[in-house]
Amino acid sequence: MRIRDSLGPLFLDEEFRAAFGVRGRPGISPGRLALVSILQFAENLTDRQAAHAVRARIDVKYLLGLELTDPGFDHTVLTGFRERLLAHGLEDRILDLLLERLAEMGLVAPGGRQRTDSTHVLAAVRSLNRLEFIGETLRASLEALAMAAPDWMRASMDPAWQERYGTRVDAYRLPTDEQERRTLARQIAADGYRLLEGVFAPTAPAWLRQVPAVSILRTVWVQQFTRTVTDGEEEVAWRGKDDLPPSRAMVASPYDPEARYAKKRGSAWVGYKIHLSETFDDPGETNRPHLITHVVTTDATVNDAMVIEEIHDRLTSKDLLPAEHLLDAGYTSAELLLTAPTTRGVHVVGPVRSNNTRQAATGSGFGKSSFNIKRLATPGRWFSNASRSPTTWSPSTGAAFAGDVAVVASAALSPGSAAGAEGSS
């Protein structure tokens, strides 16, 4: 009730016009569905629970401006609303409209202090081992094709597949013996290749190749198996650990092909990563609450530092760029610390990343800390003489200079460091 009294109507239906057609029966107000979506997030409600709240709770009816006798809507409407927002690129629109209203009320403004941090988002899929994963990927493809082209499947499917893949792979006990597991993996791989050959055969309907589950199966089989033919005999084998693609490219679930496996600070998960930016001024001084200003969702393998420029760009477009931005070591870099104040007017506060190079870990070789960079004004001069011994290297100059500045690098190395450097050069 306080939200409606304080903020008034937040979302006009016109703001979501692009996601809805101009013909057909009038639908549920998208502005109201946007408010229900916020309520879902705030109270952690499922679609069914949110739809029931609209029907049964007086405070929710007041928030939405509904009559007490309003029957509400079916819970599936919320799923369709989210799909429309994603399909038309309007997923950020609800937050942007809310921030615009809060800015009009003086509750959020550019400048000040903000902080950004990331956390993991679990994909709504079951964690599977490698054998379960390939079996479920093949089963999902068979299920999809059976729904899309039942007649073709009936004529093309091996009758034995019904028994092997009729139920979910995790519904029955898999062998524990390593050799038996490898034999089962080869059987699943061979069945998958037979299915792909049938789908891509000239006699098969061309549109079968566009079924998403088939594309996922093809990608997973490329990532998980090698297939060779020697003297007319086909051999299928697992890819070794060193031959697997990196996590950023590897499919982790047949039901969510964009989810990725990642590990951070000892925590491993399959899913995504969310970056949240929040105002962080002292409420006692500014009389403003802490508010979320921007949200970025990436796959789980994206490094934090890769999104900070996008965050600054979006905050600039919203006219909410902070004067001081608090970040952890995952976001900061020497370049960001030096350039953000001059290019964006943002003072970045955060720890500098630790030195994880091989030289720092082993205590040998030429590390960055071994060099002192000096700038000398040397108009019109070239430098040459340089001396080097197994224990010290004290070049008096670089080979050339740009404009009126020459760069001179010197390094004092221990005998072990020089030896390590000699061996690695």
Side-chain angles (χ1 to χ4, degrees):
M1 291 184 180
R2 292 178 57 191
I3 293 176
R4 184 173 180 83
D5 292 340
S6 301
L7 302 181
L10 286 174
F11 308 116
L12 300 177
D13 294 344
E14 186 69 19
E15 298 290 348
F16 305 96
R17 180 179 180 180
F20 293 85
V22 297
R23 296 181 179 179
R25 186 180 64 180
I28 306 298
S29 165
R32 286 173 176 162
L33 293 177
L35 273 177
V36 174
S37 299
I38 294 177
L39 176 69
Q40 275 190 275
F41 178 80
E43 300 190 7
N44 194 27
L45 302 177
T46 65
D47 287 351
R48 290 182 182 273
Q49 291 171 332
H52 178 72
V54 173
R55 289 191 299 270
R57 286 172 47 180
I58 294 177
D59 58 339
V60 176
K61 289 182 180 292
Y62 183 81
L63 171 66
L64 301 176
L66 297 174
E67 297 289 341
L68 292 177
T69 56
D70 191 286
F73 50 79
D74 188 78
H75 68 277
T76 57
V77 171
L78 291 169
T79 302
F81 177 64
R82 290 192 296 268
E83 291 175 350
R84 287 177 180 270
L85 293 183
L86 291 172
H88 293 82
L90 298 174
E91 59 270 21
D92 295 331
R93 193 59 183 147
I94 295 177
L95 177 60
D96 292 345
L97 290 171
L98 181 58
L99 287 171
E100 290 174 8
R101 179 67 180 124
L102 295 173
E104 292 173 359
M105 300 176 64
L107 296 177
V108 64
R113 177 185 295 175
Q114 293 188 31
R115 61 181 177 181
T116 296
D117 204 354
S118 65
T119 187
H120 58 273
V121 178
L122 301 180
V125 296
R126 179 168 179 173
S127 180
L128 302 173
N129 62 42
R130 198 172 175 187
L131 184 58
E132 292 172 333
F133 170 56
I134 61 169
E136 190 60 27
T137 300
L138 177 55
R139 195 191 74 84
S141 299
L142 291 170
E143 290 282 356
L145 288 171
M147 292 292 293
D151 294 336
W152 181 86
M153 276 294 294
R154 196 175 295 111
S156 304
M157 188 180 76
D158 187 329
W161 291 356
Q162 178 65 40
E163 181 178 353
R164 289 178 196 157
Y165 310 110
T167 59
R168 291 180 63 93
V169 174
D170 56 7
Y172 56 87
R173 188 181 300 275
L174 295 174
T176 57
D177 180 75
E178 182 62 25
Q179 186 58 42
E180 293 179 355
R181 292 174 69 88
R182 288 185 176 275
T183 301
L184 178 58
R186 285 194 292 270
Q187 179 65 65
I188 295 173
D191 291 343
Y193 281 122
R194 283 186 59 190
L195 178 61
L196 289 172
E197 288 171 354
V199 170
F200 283 85
T203 56
W207 59 268
L208 289 180
R209 305 164 195 173
Q210 307 302 319
V211 174
V214 172
S215 300
I216 295 171
L217 175 67
R218 188 181 185 188
T219 301
V220 169
W221 255 233
V222 169
Q223 293 178 348
Q224 295 290 335
F225 299 105
T226 60
R227 189 187 192 192
T228 57
V229 178
T230 305
D231 298 330
E233 193 168 322
E234 180 182 274
E235 182 178 354
V236 177
W238 284 111
R239 288 189 182 274
K241 291 184 178 180
D242 296 335
D243 197 25
L244 291 172
S247 292
R248 65 178 180 273
M250 184 180 291
V251 177
S253 170
Y255 302 109
D256 191 348
E258 296 181 353
R260 293 293 181 267
Y261 171 85
K263 188 174 183 180
K264 182 179 181 181
R265 299 193 187 103
S267 297
W269 75 99
V270 173
Y272 303 86
K273 188 186 292 184
I274 188 171
H275 305 262
L276 301 169
S277 298
E278 174 192 33
T279 58
F280 197 56
D281 293 312
D282 186 352
E285 296 179 359
T286 62
N287 198 29
R288 295 171 181 163
H290 291 177
L291 297 170
I292 298 294
T293 55
H294 188 56
V295 179
V296 178
T297 303
T298 66
D299 75 59
T301 63
V302 174
N303 189 282
D304 291 351
M306 302 297 292
V307 302
I308 191 62
E309 290 298 330
E310 177 187 349
I311 292 173
H312 283 162
D313 288 340
R314 293 290 288 121
L315 291 174
T316 300
S317 67
K318 298 177 182 181
D319 195 24
L320 292 176
L321 192 67
E324 187 177 49
H325 201 171
L326 309 184
L327 303 170
D328 67 18
Y331 293 95
T332 58
S333 65
E335 180 181 5
L336 179 67
L337 294 171
L338 292 173
T339 60
T342 57
T343 60
R344 295 185 181 274
V346 177
H347 178 56
V348 174
V349 179
V352 179
R353 297 182 189 179
S354 59
N355 187 355
N356 297 320
T357 61
R358 176 182 60 82
Q359 292 89 340
T362 61
S364 62
F366 293 98
K368 292 181 180 179
S369 59
S370 301
F371 294 85
N372 296 319
I373 306 299
K374 301 178 181 179
R375 292 184 177 274
L376 303 178
T378 53
R381 293 186 56 190
W382 286 78
F383 294 89
S384 54
N385 305 321
S387 62
R388 183 175 182 177
S389 69
T391 57
T392 62
W393 179 32
S394 302
S396 59
T397 122
F401 65 92
D404 61 348
V405 177
V407 179
V408 179
S410 63
L413 304 174
S414 65
S417 297
E422 290 283 359
S424 60
S425 62

